[in-house]
Amino acid sequence: SSELTQDPAVSVALGQTVRITCQGDSLRIYYATWYQQKPGQAPVLVIYGRNNRPSGIPDRFSGSSSGNTASLTITGAQAEDEADYYCNSRDSSDNHVFGTGTKVTVL
Amino acid sequence: QVQVVQSGGEVKRPGASVKVSCKASGYTFTSYGISWVRQAPGQGLEWMGWISAYNGNTKYAEKIQGRVTMTRDTSTSTAYMELRSLRSDDTAVYYCARESEKREPEKMATIFFQHWGQGTLVIVSS
């Protein structure tokens, strides 16, 4: 299957740790890429490849992978981390696929 | 610095066509591919396809194959996405994004979108 499945929503207390997961067969072959999207804004790249952060992304964001599951962890969540998060990968036809998205609420 | 600037919003009738532009600057245009991604209101991200800025090769998502054409003009560093036979469910924000690649051991190369346009709202309504 080329689908990437994410939990629809998670919540985290301010300063605590939250892990967002993404499941799909393609993740056995490809690393996931993670994007953050706030309302009315374009997505922003937060993690790519094995565990790489673009310049400007805080080091509280990290990525990991095991089997068919990729994870994005926010360690010490801040209010500004409240957003939708999408994973992305490619399928067997080399097409991009986005996950279903996870809404993160910081309490 | 890399910038990707899209054309303005459009309102179209069902059955019409729309062409969205994506002008890149701050890098060598022909060195990177451009993908197009859309987002219907309240929905997730949907990849539409890709164009090589180098040679114009394209790859389209199966869902819209036959209705979409992606082109580029290297003289102006601009990519275009044309969608035909518009329907109400094509109403969405359309984004272009510049691709980059990361090669690491253990898995296939990662293609990721580091630079996004601001988005173009296309409304299809009678």
Side-chain angles (χ1 to χ4, degrees):
Chain A
S1 169
S2 60
E3 296 179 344
L4 296 177
T5 302
Q6 300 179 238
D7 290 330
V10 297
S11 60
V12 57
L14 185 68
Q16 296 304 300
T17 296
V18 62
R19 183 160 65 178
I20 305 161
T21 60
C22 173
Q23 287 191 300
D25 289 342
S26 64
L27 299 179
R28 297 184 186 277
I29 305 170
Y30 295 100
Y31 288 112
T33 299
W34 291 93
Y35 299 93
Q36 175 195 71
Q37 188 181 34
K38 296 180 180 179
Q41 298 183 17
V44 172
L45 176 71
V46 293
I47 292 289
Y48 63 98
R50 187 175 181 183
N51 182 19
N52 302 281
R53 281 176 291 105
S55 172
I57 299 300
D59 61 5
R60 62 178 179 270
F61 289 91
S62 63
S64 61
S65 177
S66 178
N68 73 336
T69 301
S71 300
L72 173 70
T73 300
I74 309 174
T75 303
Q78 302 299 302
E80 61 264 33
D81 300 335
E82 188 162 290
D84 294 328
Y85 291 82
Y86 294 92
C87 60
N88 170 257
S89 178
R90 286 185 284 167
D91 64 17
S92 56
S93 300
D94 210 29
N95 296 317
H96 281 275
V97 179
F98 283 96
T100 48
T102 298
K103 182 177 181 60
V104 172
T105 300
V106 179
L107 305 173
Chain B
Q1 72 284 18
V2 176
Q3 283 194 311
V4 182
V5 179
Q6 299 182 221
S7 49
E10 306 253 18
V11 179
K12 296 291 184 181
R13 300 294 189 197
S17 299
V18 68
K19 191 170 186 177
V20 180
S21 68
C22 169
K23 184 170 178 58
S25 61
Y27 70 95
T28 302
F29 180 69
T30 52
S31 295
Y32 299 86
I34 297 282
S35 267
W36 290 87
V37 176
R38 70 178 179 178
Q39 187 172 37
Q43 302 301 307
L45 302 172
E46 178 188 11
W47 181 77
M48 299 178 67
W50 160 89
I51 181 167
S52 165
Y54 174 70
N55 59 16
N57 285 352
T58 55
K59 189 172 182 63
Y60 303 134
E62 193 173 320
K63 180 180 176 181
I64 55 170
Q65 180 109 28
R67 290 202 298 135
V68 67
T69 301
M70 296 177 187
T71 57
R72 95 282 188 230
D73 181 343
T74 58
S75 69
T76 60
S77 299
T78 303
Y80 299 91
M81 186 283 300
E82 181 179 34
L83 190 60
R84 301 176 293 279
S85 303
L86 289 168
R87 310 186 292 242
S88 58
D89 62 357
D90 291 318
T91 293
V93 175
Y94 289 75
Y95 296 100
C96 62
R98 195 203 83 172
E99 296 192 347
S100 295
E101 181 176 298
K102 176 74 172 178
R103 293 184 180 272
E104 296 170 296
E106 298 179 357
K107 299 203 180 189
M108 301 287 283
T110 301
I111 307 295
F112 57 96
F113 311 128
Q114 186 163 7
H115 303 283
W116 293 69
Q118 81 276 21
T120 297
L121 176 61
V122 175
I123 296 173
V124 183
S125 174
S126 55

